[in-house]
Amino acid sequence: MSGLKILVVGSSIAGPTTAYWLAKAGAHVTIIERFPHLRTGGQAIDIRTSGVAVMRKMPGMEDLVRAKREKIEGISFVRPDGRPWGVITSTGDPDEQSLISEFEISRGNLAGVLVGLTEGNERIEYVYGEQVAAIKQQGGVDVGERAKGPVTVEFMNGLEPREFDLIVACDGATSRTRATGLECGVRDHVHSTNIWAAYFSVPRSLLNDSTIGQAHSAPGGRFISVGSNPSTQTSTIMLMAHHPPSHRDATLPFRQALAQGESALKKYITESYADVGWRTEEFLAYMNTEATDFYASEILQVKPPSLYNLATRVVLVGDAGYATGPTGFGTSIALTGAYHLAGELGKHAGDLEAGLVAYEDRMRPLIKEMQKIPPLVGTIMAPQTAWGIWMRNHLFALVAWSGVVGVVQRFFGAAFRSSEGFVLPEYEWVR
């Protein structure tokens, strides 16, 4: 792969990880990000199973993650007056995680760790505030049945056109690069889970510096949770709306508000959560007046017919290719996909198509497994009725009191398996 020029689109989790491994395989990588700077904040995410195995192959990453991880010692569902129904704590074993991950970290902090591991690499270049405008074959024509050689990428915001041997889409579930590369619509191959979520930070002092994650539910599948972030002395609020599977296109009002801008979206969320209770009114007031890192999106699954298109020289990694929805495995499968893509391209050096085929063969079984939405996830996280919430809270209290978290784990399947069950192949790296 020495001399291979690769464009990575997106600088969150999948993008920097892919660049890290591609550089180790010998490629020269350019990462573009449409935002003018690295995005901070965002929801708490977990590194589990195969993701832990990949992390441990990146020297220094585990220590950096531990230093910036969310300090959540347990989780609880709370009554309207704040009293907990019970608390479930972590196992204390990073190789055998439960509902609490030993590697829970905010998306922004993890992105910062990964960018920090790659920024000083002479084979990796970051360009912020830029997007792909068009992909063309040599000679300037739009890509056709198959690009015979490198493609020329034209950019939207001033970067001069460049030639690349491969383009890696790491720009999320609604990836524009996927739409261009697979020659489809942005929402083609996107499957709604009928869930949306919003995130923002509040001072930890609002929760008396608690390190116990707290959650509260209201009828209609409305859920609010709080977790602490010791590296920034803040707590992250998540507001999640989980609509029944039978409700077709239930996230349409959310998407319409999203399209109108942040003010309209905050108004929609405020109205949706007006009667949730607990401390929701207080948190909404902070969201509307002081929050600086507000972010909201749908929670989606992505299931394209292929993870690459040789005609356009585009391949998908992370949410752009296999967003997992509410399974708890999206971050880990993104880390794993980045490792496999670079490893297989290096292994099949000189035969780009063979490397891409091998990458897809590696990923398909894992994608199938990790896109399985755990049974009862909606019932447990966000019941639709007051009766359902009452039942969930009493079940949670029983589980917390009895300590039978292992029983709960069986309902949540792959997301809580031991990392020892995911053995990564060993690849040869040039650096």
Side-chain angles (χ1 to χ4, degrees):
M1 288 181 63
S2 179
L4 204 67
K5 296 179 180 179
I6 299 179
L7 175 67
V8 173
V9 183
S11 178
S12 181
I13 307 302
T17 311
T18 300
Y20 176 94
W21 291 109
L22 286 173
K24 285 185 69 67
H28 295 274
V29 185
T30 300
I31 303 180
I32 64 170
E33 167 59 50
R34 67 187 179 95
F35 287 90
H37 50 74
L38 180 67
R39 287 180 293 165
T40 59
Q43 75 270 36
I45 53 179
D46 300 337
I47 304 174
R48 298 181 181 273
T49 56
S50 61
V52 175
V54 173
M55 176 177 67
R56 288 176 173 166
K57 289 182 176 292
M58 302 173 69
M61 181 176 171
E62 183 173 352
D63 288 341
L64 291 169
V65 168
R66 286 185 180 277
K68 291 183 176 293
R69 70 188 180 95
E70 303 271 323
K71 191 177 180 182
I72 297 180
E73 297 178 357
I75 58 173
S76 64
F77 285 100
V78 298
R79 298 171 172 86
D81 62 5
R83 290 181 299 132
W85 287 95
V87 177
I88 292 178
T89 58
S90 66
T91 65
D93 180 0
D95 293 319
E96 190 64 61
Q97 302 180 56
S98 66
L99 289 168
I100 309 296
S101 172
E102 298 296 326
F103 300 110
E104 186 162 325
I105 183 172
S106 75
R107 179 174 291 277
N109 279 344
L110 181 56
V113 166
L114 292 167
V115 170
L117 290 172
T118 54
E119 274 188 318
N121 192 313
E122 62 185 11
R123 292 177 179 265
I124 299 173
E125 173 192 8
Y126 279 87
V127 180
Y128 289 95
E130 195 53 272
Q131 300 180 66
V132 172
I135 303 172
K136 298 180 179 295
Q137 291 190 30
Q138 290 178 328
V141 298
D142 289 339
V143 287
E145 292 183 2
R146 175 167 298 192
K148 302 300 183 183
V151 293
T152 299
V153 177
E154 297 179 352
F155 299 95
M156 289 187 181
N157 301 320
L159 189 65
E160 291 295 319
R162 297 187 187 183
E163 285 189 352
F164 294 98
D165 299 286
L166 187 66
I167 302 165
V168 188
C170 299
D171 48 342
T174 55
S175 167
R176 296 178 183 179
T177 313
R178 179 184 67 239
T180 301
L182 298 191
E183 301 170 291
C184 62
V186 170
R187 290 191 70 88
D188 289 354
H189 317 306
V190 168
H191 296 253
S192 175
T193 63
N194 271 4
I195 304 171
W196 61 258
Y199 317 91
F200 57 94
S201 298
V202 300
R204 279 180 62 187
S205 58
L206 289 183
L207 291 142
N208 299 318
D209 293 325
S210 174
T211 56
I212 299 294
Q214 301 173 49
H216 179 72
S217 292
R222 293 171 296 170
F223 174 87
I224 178 170
S225 68
V226 186
S228 70
N229 186 345
S231 66
T232 57
Q233 294 300 305
T234 61
S235 293
T236 301
I237 307 291
M238 180 180 75
L239 305 169
M240 185 180 73
H242 190 298
H243 303 280
S246 59
H247 288 201
R248 185 176 180 180
D249 210 12
T251 59
L252 179 59
F254 169 83
R255 299 203 306 271
Q256 291 172 333
L258 180 64
Q260 294 172 34
E262 186 171 301
S263 295
L265 185 56
K266 286 182 176 179
K267 181 175 184 292
Y268 171 77
I269 292 171
T270 301
E271 291 173 351
S272 298
Y273 274 75
D275 61 343
V276 164
W278 185 41
R279 300 181 65 179
T280 306
E281 184 176 347
E282 177 185 3
F283 295 142
L284 289 173
Y286 192 91
M287 177 190 77
N288 284 307
T289 59
E290 299 186 60
T292 60
D293 57 353
F294 173 82
Y295 172 76
S297 67
E298 286 183 88
I299 297 177
L300 303 167
Q301 290 193 324
V302 174
K303 301 179 181 182
S306 176
L307 297 183
Y308 67 92
N309 182 0
L310 203 60
T312 56
R313 296 291 181 108
V314 170
V315 61
L316 315 176
V317 175
D319 282 356
Y322 30 84
T324 60
T327 68
F329 203 79
T331 300
S332 296
I333 200 171
L335 297 175
T336 308
Y339 177 81
H340 281 315
L341 175 64
E344 294 298 337
L345 288 176
K347 182 178 178 180
H348 295 85
D351 190 340
L352 183 63
E353 184 172 10
L356 294 176
V357 169
Y359 161 66
E360 178 142 6
D361 288 345
R362 286 280 188 189
M363 292 303 298
R364 280 299 176 188
L366 191 59
I367 294 168
K368 182 179 179 180
E369 181 69 15
M370 296 310 165
Q371 284 189 333
K372 293 178 180 177
I373 297 177
L376 304 180
V377 67
T379 304
I380 293 174
M381 290 288 288
Q384 296 296 315
T385 66
W387 170 247
I389 293 170
W390 186 90
M391 286 290 293
R392 189 278 314 276
N393 288 341
H394 283 80
L395 176 62
F396 183 86
L398 176 62
V399 169
W401 171 78
S402 65
V404 292
V405 179
V407 175
V408 177
Q409 290 186 44
R410 287 203 295 271
F411 286 106
F412 283 81
F416 304 107
R417 289 181 187 162
S418 167
S419 60
E420 296 177 357
F422 291 87
V423 179
L424 296 173
E426 294 294 335
Y427 295 113
E428 294 184 9
W429 309 101
V430 300
R431 311 171 38 102

